[in-house]
Amino acid sequence: MPHADSALVPQGLDKAAFWDHIHDQLAALLEGQRNWVTNLANASSLIYNSLLAFEPYFGDKERAVNWCGFYIVSSLFPSPRISQADGNEAEARSQLLLGPFCGKPACQFINTTPGKARGVCADAFLGRRVIRVHNVNEYPGHIACDGETKSEIVCPLTLGANGEEIAVGVLDLDCLAFGGFTEDDERGLEKIADLVVAACDW
């Protein structure tokens, strides 16, 4: 089967069955690959394109998911050999950096420094919990990358290491509709986040 066919969505699925389908398709795509950049690129593409094809819950019109991707903790990126950055080095390490995504251009980093962090992604990352936002305009500190976005859901990417829970990033989805995401989406995306974390070497 061509890799692109992974994003085809069978007719008649409810949301629970849809997310199970995406999970199975993604598991097959990730098989044999441990690089997190490669796997997150395929994950964001599969989720995004499958949601565009998933009528009547999402689709490509007024209920479309207009952004799907990842922000990853900056410590996982290689340190530059030559840096022209100006600023506080400790604060620069307390960031989520833009990772693989599908959608319009997005902000390059999200501050996760205690006392300075803001936005849905930072709150989900620091709190190690899923955050589902009905109306982003009412969320304190919301970072508006796309003014057309009305709702959002963010799932932390966490792994267990040496008896503690470590967050390595977040999976972030934006929707053009208010209340675009439900508990079914939350449960499905949590399983996908777990799959992605387990499939990668961090």
Side-chain angles (χ1 to χ4, degrees), residues 3-196:
H3 288 82
D5 289 354
S6 299
L8 297 176
V9 177
Q11 296 294 313
L13 299 182
D14 62 15
K15 277 195 175 182
F18 169 81
W19 287 116
D20 286 343
H21 171 75
I22 299 305
H23 184 279
D24 292 345
Q25 296 295 90
L26 183 58
L29 271 179
L30 303 185
E31 188 174 353
Q33 178 57 257
R34 301 291 303 175
N35 183 278
W36 65 263
V37 175
T38 302
N39 285 344
L40 270 53
N42 260 340
S44 59
S45 178
L46 175 64
I47 297 167
Y48 182 78
N49 285 288
S50 297
L51 286 167
L52 288 177
F54 188 38
E55 296 278 6
Y57 294 101
F58 292 101
D60 61 358
K61 296 180 179 63
E62 67 275 0
R63 295 192 54 80
V65 168
N66 57 320
W67 203 90
C68 173
F70 296 88
Y71 280 91
I72 302 299
V73 66
S74 57
S75 60
L76 288 177
F77 289 83
S79 298
R81 290 181 291 173
I82 301 173
S83 176
Q84 298 182 39
D86 184 22
N88 185 309
E89 184 178 339
E91 186 171 316
R93 286 197 300 267
S94 299
Q95 294 178 342
L96 295 173
L97 296 180
L98 181 62
F101 72 92
C102 289
K104 294 179 181 178
C107 56
Q108 296 170 318
F109 69 91
I110 296 170
N111 197 334
T112 55
T113 305
K116 296 185 179 181
R118 69 183 185 92
V120 187
C121 288
D123 291 346
F125 175 79
L126 292 171
R128 311 295 197 263
R129 72 187 192 284
V130 177
I131 298 180
R132 187 162 34 100
V133 181
H134 178 85
N135 180 354
V136 295
N137 298 316
E138 296 177 352
Y139 192 88
H142 172 67
I143 301 170
C145 291
D146 183 349
E148 294 184 344
T149 294
K150 300 296 189 295
S151 58
E152 184 173 7
I153 187 169
V154 180
C155 298
L157 305 177
T158 59
L159 58 88
N162 300 320
E164 62 177 316
E165 187 180 52
I166 298 173
V168 295
V170 297
L171 168 57
D172 180 22
L173 283 79
D174 295 345
C175 183
L176 296 177
F178 291 110
F181 303 103
T182 66
E183 290 182 9
D184 287 329
D185 303 312
E186 183 173 329
R187 284 191 290 268
L189 288 166
E190 282 185 298
K191 292 178 183 177
I192 286 174
D194 290 342
L195 170 64
V196 167

